[in-house]
Amino acid sequence: MSVVALVGNPREGSRTLTVAVEAARAIGRRLERAGHGSGRGAGGAEPYEVVDLAALGPHLLAPGASAQVEVALELVREASVLVVASPTYKGTYTGLLKAFLDRLPPQALAGKAALPLLVMGDAKHALAVEVHLRPLLVELGATVPTPGLAVLESQLPALAEVIAPWADRVAPQAAAGAGLTQAAGAGASQAAGAGASQAAGGGGAAAPAVVTSGVTSGVTSGVTSGVTSGVTSG
């Protein structure tokens, strides 16, 4: 299992990044407590990765291939759960986020859960999460738990309190949408079957069910791992 936060703010160190990191951390920890973890949270490590598009803008619009963009796309493709975050520009998500997601092939997010998140200055844009960002993720094949998260800038001082009830609600849906609950159930059934066989006739141990994390290591600029510090500007 891997949780990836995809941040579509063109500014480095943005408030969108702050919110996305907090949301990814909350989801990752809840999944790990439910037994769907990859082990990344063990020993104090954060149970998520971050793809910050702020450094990738010029590469996304360049005609040639970019190794940095390809690394970011691979990280997104291999995620089990995506937190897709953007500031609200002109009532919707950013063109930067759309330009990145347009690089994915059709149904690239099939079998994954994608959690839409928008940061905004005015509550009148709150429906943009459901009206604009959710359909984009569904078009790419993702299972999109409900509700999406709309975070007002005025709520940022109490961000943990805003995210916690949302994460409690969507984390079980994300696990189901990414097939993690089925994988856990299959593993439990297989283990139970192996125990019964051994008790009945002493047969060999069955191979355990394995869920691979798909986390790409050694990522380059524009793709950061763990907590990004010094997050201040819009």
Side-chain angles (χ1 to χ4, degrees):
M1 184 280 297
S2 62
V3 177
V4 172
L6 174 62
V7 184
N9 195 312
R11 288 189 288 181
E12 295 184 3
S14 66
R15 286 174 291 190
T16 309
L17 177 60
T18 302
V19 176
V21 164
E22 185 66 29
R25 179 186 293 120
I27 294 296
R29 288 179 175 172
R30 282 161 175 77
L31 292 177
E32 293 205 334
R33 286 201 297 266
H36 306 308
S38 63
R40 282 185 52 80
E46 294 291 0
Y48 61 87
E49 298 278 350
V50 179
V51 175
D52 188 359
L53 299 181
L56 297 181
H59 304 285
L60 283 171
L61 300 177
S66 165
Q68 294 164 303
V69 172
E70 290 305 316
V71 168
L73 289 169
E74 184 67 14
L75 193 58
V76 167
R77 284 193 296 263
E78 294 188 354
S80 303
V81 179
L82 282 170
V83 175
V84 182
S86 172
T88 307
Y89 283 4
K90 302 297 188 294
T92 189
Y93 51 81
T94 62
L96 177 64
L97 178 62
K98 183 64 161 59
F100 178 80
L101 292 176
D102 281 347
R103 294 288 192 103
L104 294 171
Q107 297 297 302
L109 302 185
K112 308 178 188 305
L115 310 177
L117 187 163
L118 288 180
V119 180
M120 58 196 64
D122 196 318
K124 70 182 181 183
H125 294 134
L127 285 178
V129 178
E130 304 297 339
V131 175
H132 299 302
L133 187 49
R134 176 183 296 275
L136 174 61
L137 301 175
V138 170
E139 177 67 21
L140 287 166
T143 297
V144 185
T146 187
L149 182 61
V151 178
L152 296 175
E153 292 173 1
S154 61
Q155 294 176 309
L156 294 179
L159 186 57
E161 288 77 8
V162 173
I163 287 177
W166 167 80
D168 288 340
R169 184 171 177 181
V170 301
Q173 298 178 59
L180 301 178
T181 53
Q182 292 92 328
S189 298
Q190 193 171 28
S197 296
Q198 287 179 327
V210 177
V211 179
T212 57
S213 67
V215 174
T216 303
S217 59
V219 291
T220 56
S221 61
V223 185
T224 59
S225 176
V227 178
T228 302
S229 59
V231 181
T232 55
S233 61

